[in-house]
Amino acid sequence: MKKSFKKTLISGLFISTFFLGANTMAADYKQNPFTLTYDGAITENLQGKVNIHPITYVNNEGIKISANIYTPANFDPNKKYPAITVAHPNGGVKEQVAGLYAQKLAEQGYITIAADAAYQGASGGEPRQTDKPANRINDIHAMVDFLETYPGVDTTRIGALGICGGGGYTFAAAQSDKRLQAVATVSLFNTGDVRRNGLANSQVSTIQERLAQAAAARTEEAKGNIEYAANADMSKITQADVEKMPAGLYKDGTEYYGITHRHPNSTPRYTMGSLLDLMTWDATDHAELISAPLLIVAGDNADTLYMSEKVFEKAGSPNKEFMKIPGASHIETYWKPEYVKQISEKLTDFFGRNL
């Protein structure tokens, strides 16, 4: 591969896979004792209120997982409550939008869990920022494993919510995990489709070259040399950097993850070798196996809307709903109060009817 092509290719990878998030309200993790970045986050555990419980557990592959459990107001471990797993976006961590929706659902009487993906955030696993579909899907299975042993959980009423990349992986996990009685996604991002074809099929012409680059990176990994795609230092992002990004998902995401909702454990980078797995995977590969009630939520102004439309069309569930949020972009569903309110109310209605 010529050096000039490789530089262009890496740049293209960066643009097509950069970040997923954005907003205009600062929420400094340093000001929250649990390092939560979202507006209205819990700052202390009070009797009779929704509480947060930072926990760790070891998944079935021996990796230590860092998670937050949210319990409803007046929680009584001797009673039984429905429970919901919440999977975070690509590059995100449990303290951001996953925590926001986990808290919102706990306020409605659910036990919820938001966990950092294995190899990411505060969870264990090496090499860091490995981002393979099998791992992310297993994260969701492992959250269910944990909930099934948690005091107060009604194991016959466990549901799942996935946001962005976590939405695609939750959709995939639900195809086989029949412990999940109801499944919802918000701003679903089909990671395999985008890593393979680019956002809106913008990189189809370079698939073979990028696969060759990923294969070369896998060889380097075997030698102990880890190469990363989208290897940006989010702590150094400025508003000027944001303004240079193309409008839409990547610009909004740069702002969300780099400025307004930045968390030190959150990074867009992932191992280049992960692309060997990502580019041959698709969230819809076995969509016909979905049998649980399904809710798909997306902004009608999102440049990722087509991904939600595709999974909805292919999903085998006889009970499925699609909710479009008027005016919302992909990232605005992460934080914008009027959109979060609409989505939270719909999630409460959906899970209330199906769990």
Side-chain angles (χ1 to χ4, degrees):
M1 185 180 295
K2 294 180 180 179
K3 183 179 291 186
S4 60
F5 176 75
K6 187 172 183 180
K7 287 183 178 179
T8 301
L9 190 57
I10 291 175
S11 176
L13 264 174
F14 179 80
I15 293 299
S16 74
T17 60
F18 187 47
F19 240 139
L20 321 172
N23 76 50
T24 56
M25 292 168 33
D28 190 350
Y29 71 93
K30 297 177 183 177
Q31 303 303 314
N32 185 282
F34 305 104
T35 71
L36 305 175
T37 69
Y38 54 89
D39 187 50
I42 295 171
T43 57
E44 60 179 327
N45 284 330
L46 300 172
Q47 186 174 0
K49 302 292 184 179
V50 169
N51 282 189
I52 184 173
H53 312 276
I55 55 100
T56 59
Y57 57 92
V58 177
N59 71 9
N60 61 314
E61 296 184 336
I63 296 174
K64 189 175 182 179
I65 300 298
S66 176
N68 287 327
I69 291 280
Y70 294 77
T71 51
N74 299 305
F75 174 68
D76 181 349
N78 295 311
K79 294 182 178 180
K80 293 296 182 182
Y81 302 80
I84 299 171
T85 64
V86 185
H88 63 69
N90 294 339
V93 289
K94 63 186 179 298
E95 290 85 2
Q96 296 164 326
V97 60
L100 168 62
Y101 282 106
Q103 182 174 324
K104 291 291 185 183
L105 286 165
E107 290 169 358
Q108 300 304 315
Y110 297 91
I111 296 173
T112 58
I113 179 171
D116 285 337
Y119 304 91
Q120 301 173 29
S123 290
E126 296 287 343
R128 299 306 298 162
Q129 280 78 57
T130 296
D131 189 24
K132 298 182 179 182
N135 297 337
R136 289 295 310 266
I137 293 167
N138 188 58
D139 290 330
I140 295 151
H141 296 321
M143 281 193 278
V144 178
D145 295 341
F146 183 83
L147 285 177
E148 288 199 314
T149 66
Y150 194 79
V153 170
D154 182 344
T155 59
T156 68
R157 292 193 294 162
I158 296 178
L161 168 64
I163 303 148
C164 185
Y169 293 127
T170 295
F171 183 83
Q175 292 163 10
S176 62
D177 200 333
K178 301 308 174 181
R179 297 174 297 179
L180 297 174
Q181 302 302 307
V183 179
T185 68
V186 174
S187 294
L188 181 146
F189 188 86
N190 187 344
T191 310
D193 181 275
V194 176
R195 300 300 187 248
R196 178 174 56 256
N197 299 320
L199 185 63
N201 295 321
S202 60
Q203 288 189 294
V204 173
S205 64
T206 62
I207 289 175
Q208 294 301 326
E209 292 88 347
R210 287 183 286 115
L211 280 170
Q213 185 177 2
R218 177 65 180 254
T219 296
E220 289 302 308
E221 282 187 18
K223 299 175 183 177
N225 304 318
I226 310 302
E227 295 184 27
Y228 288 96
N231 195 11
D233 184 347
M234 301 309 288
S235 68
K236 296 181 179 178
I237 293 295
T238 67
Q239 196 63 43
D241 295 324
V242 172
E243 297 308 316
K244 294 176 184 177
M245 299 293 293
L249 175 64
Y250 302 128
K251 182 175 183 177
D252 290 351
T254 304
E255 186 176 29
Y256 179 90
Y257 286 107
I259 298 178
T260 61
H261 290 72
R262 189 177 76 82
H263 192 283
N265 291 341
S266 175
T267 173
R269 75 175 188 165
Y270 56 91
T271 62
M272 195 77 76
S274 296
L275 288 168
L276 289 183
D277 299 79
L278 286 163
M279 290 178 68
T280 56
W281 178 82
D282 194 288
T284 67
D285 281 345
H286 300 287
E288 73 280 359
L289 296 179
I290 293 253
S291 57
L294 177 68
L295 170 66
I296 304 291
V297 180
D300 70 0
N301 196 35
D303 39 16
T304 57
L305 176 60
Y306 70 95
M307 301 180 206
S308 288
E309 292 175 333
K310 183 176 180 180
V311 299
F312 181 78
E313 178 185 356
K314 296 185 72 173
S317 174
N319 177 4
K320 57 184 179 180
E321 306 173 52
F322 197 121
M323 180 185 187
K324 292 183 182 179
I325 307 298
S329 70
H330 181 105
I331 297 302
E332 287 177 331
T333 63
Y334 291 18
W335 68 272
K336 203 165 187 178
E338 59 266 40
Y339 300 146
V340 171
K341 182 176 185 294
Q342 291 177 59
I343 295 168
S344 297
E345 290 175 351
K346 182 61 179 179
L347 290 171
T348 298
D349 169 70
F350 171 75
F351 284 121
R353 286 185 285 108
N354 292 294
L355 284 184

